[in-house]
Structure formats: structure tokens, C-alpha cells
Amino acid sequence: MGSVVNYAAVSGNAPLAETLVFATAKVCPENDVWLDSRGALWHPGSRWLAVADLHYGYELTMRRAGGLFPQWGMGDIRARLQALIRHYQPEKLILAGDVMDSSGSAEETLTLLAALQPQVPTLICLEGNHERPALLKRWTFQRWHREDGGYLFHHGHNPQEVLDCPEATAGATVQITGHWHPAVTLNDGAGTSMKLPALIQQRPRSRRTLSVHHHHWILPAFSPWARGGRLPAPAENVRQETWACHQRRVFAVG
């Protein structure tokens, strides 16, 4: 069982988000970055809000393949995004790749993006490995995006392409990606278990190292269907911290 080694959460109700309950925790105290249990990373100073791996339309993909999937996932994604926007009122909303699930959900994804665009001053979409021409030809996607404070966003499916680009990495100290769908499983040893989406923070054991090649944060998947990808093992000189997202708590797990 994973042991809770730290706990820092503020629970509350978003007044404009119906009855959605959420929790937050400061996951980077030196730079004031917060993780919201609804699956988002928030920077109040720069006012950017980042999410990854919506896989919008996943249930449509599964139903077309013959799976008996309920169709509540897209509604859940819309509700959480709208609640986050209303609560934080970000200047920028960063969708860090795999916004769509497959070409079969292109129209639904375009409808979602068109609805989000007027709700935020700037909507930034990054290309992931699930984006298809049916979407890319009709909406602007970027390979990577930089934010003040040394943050470099990209999806993470082809990291070397971004890390080998001097324009992307100049002055960057932390790369923030998605792609891996990190999660943690907690169990009581008696057969009951719970899988929770998680934020992974990998950093060198020496705090003197400030390089985008050494500092890597992996966002939780925003899709309710995408939890529990297999993560690459960190290097020996890298310290990894895991933050689990429960509806009412955000907590570090060791």
C-alpha cells in the first residue's frame, strides 16, 4: 500500500460549478504552482491553467469497436473544464496534447474547442499522438509552448524532438507533459483498492541542477477513462514525487 507521507489540501465548493467538490495542494512552493483535484495545474501568478489527455470522445471510439460504453465521459470533461474556468478565470488555458481520442471524435472535439475558446482570453492546444488530420486541418495546434518562469509544455510522446530544439529549451527549467496517464493504486491489504490519477514530479537529487532535461512534471490524465499508464523508471540520480488526486484531497504518496 502506498503510504501518505505529506498532506496539504484545501477543500471547498466552487460556487459557480453546481455541486462539484474539489481540493488543491501547492506542489511547487517556490514557484506557487497548485494541483487541483479535478486534474489541472494552476499558476496564479501567470494565470495559466494546464490539463492534458482529454481523449475527448473515447467512449465513441469504444462503441464503434463494439464496446458497451456509457456516454457520460464527454459530459464529465466539459463540466470539469467549465468549472475550472469559472473558478480560476485563467488568462490562458493550455491543453497539453491528446485533446481528441481518434478521428471518429473530430467533430465532437471541434465543438468542444469552439465552446472553450470564448471562455478564455487565450486557448493553447498542443499536438499529441492522438491528434488526427481531421482535427489538425481545422484547428491550430502547436508542438510546444513556453511560459514565463521557465516552464516548457509539450505532450511528451516525442520528447527528444522538443528537447533538441534550442528555441524551445532556451531558459526553460521545467518541462510539463502529459501522455503517460500517471495514477497510483492504494489498497487496504484486504481486497479493497482505489486507483487515483496523479501528478508526477521528477527532479534531480541535487537542487543545484536547474535544467529542463532534469526537471519533468507529468500531468494526470483529464479523461475519466485514462488512468494508470505504465511510467518509465526515473534515473538513479532523479527523485520522484507523486501527488494523488482524490475529489476531496490532494496528497503526496510515497
Side-chain angles (χ1 to χ4, degrees):
M1 175 178 177
S3 59
V4 177
V5 296
N6 187 28
Y7 175 75
V10 179
S11 298
N13 291 314
L16 298 178
E18 293 81 35
T19 59
L20 293 179
V21 178
F22 67 96
T24 60
K26 186 181 286 190
V27 295
C28 185
E30 59 269 28
N31 290 335
D32 197 23
V33 181
W34 294 76
L35 176 62
D36 188 295
S37 63
R38 291 167 287 189
L41 207 59
W42 165 242
H43 192 299
S46 298
R47 303 201 61 76
W48 54 254
L49 184 71
V51 300
D53 295 290
L54 276 65
H55 288 274
Y56 198 71
Y58 176 79
E59 57 264 49
L60 299 180
T61 304
M62 293 296 101
R63 289 171 76 90
R64 287 189 180 97
L68 298 177
F69 266 71
Q71 297 196 59
W72 56 263
M74 291 185 292
D76 174 76
I77 290 170
R78 290 194 303 271
R80 280 185 291 132
L81 280 174
Q82 291 167 358
L84 286 161
I85 291 170
R86 287 193 294 259
H87 180 72
Y88 290 110
Q89 299 184 8
E91 291 294 322
K92 296 178 183 178
L93 174 60
I94 303 168
L95 305 182
D98 282 1
V99 179
M100 73 186 305
D101 186 68
S102 71
S103 57
S105 59
E107 293 298 328
E108 291 80 3
T109 305
L110 285 165
T111 300
L112 172 68
L113 295 176
L116 290 174
Q117 192 168 47
Q119 298 182 43
V120 290
T122 304
L123 175 62
I124 298 165
C125 297
L126 303 183
E127 185 176 342
N129 55 297
H130 273 253
E131 268 63 71
R132 296 292 182 264
L135 179 63
L136 297 174
K137 291 179 179 179
R138 299 166 65 186
W139 200 274
T140 300
F141 277 74
Q142 305 169 202
R143 290 285 187 178
W144 53 269
H145 172 72
R146 284 277 304 277
E147 278 293 329
D148 291 343
Y151 298 103
L152 170 63
F153 292 87
H154 60 100
H155 181 58
H157 63 298
N158 192 4
Q160 212 55 47
E161 177 185 350
V162 176
L163 296 178
D164 287 343
C165 176
E167 185 182 0
T169 59
T173 56
V174 178
Q175 58 172 319
I176 301 177
T177 71
H179 184 56
W180 292 102
H181 307 178
V184 294
T185 300
L186 306 177
N187 65 78
D188 63 358
T192 301
S193 64
M194 176 186 296
K195 180 178 285 187
L196 300 174
L199 170 76
I200 300 295
Q201 291 179 312
Q202 295 177 346
R203 63 187 71 188
R205 295 189 180 277
S206 171
R207 291 189 177 272
R208 293 190 297 272
T209 304
L210 294 176
S211 168
V212 70
H213 295 272
H214 299 93
H215 292 253
H216 185 193
W217 301 356
I218 307 173
L219 293 168
F222 201 78
S223 168
W225 306 114
R227 296 174 182 173
R230 186 181 295 274
L231 289 171
E236 289 186 4
N237 63 337
V238 170
R239 180 164 55 93
Q240 180 167 295
E241 297 176 356
T242 302
W243 294 85
C245 295
H246 182 271
Q247 185 181 28
R248 296 178 180 273
R249 295 181 181 179
V250 176
F251 53 92
V253 177

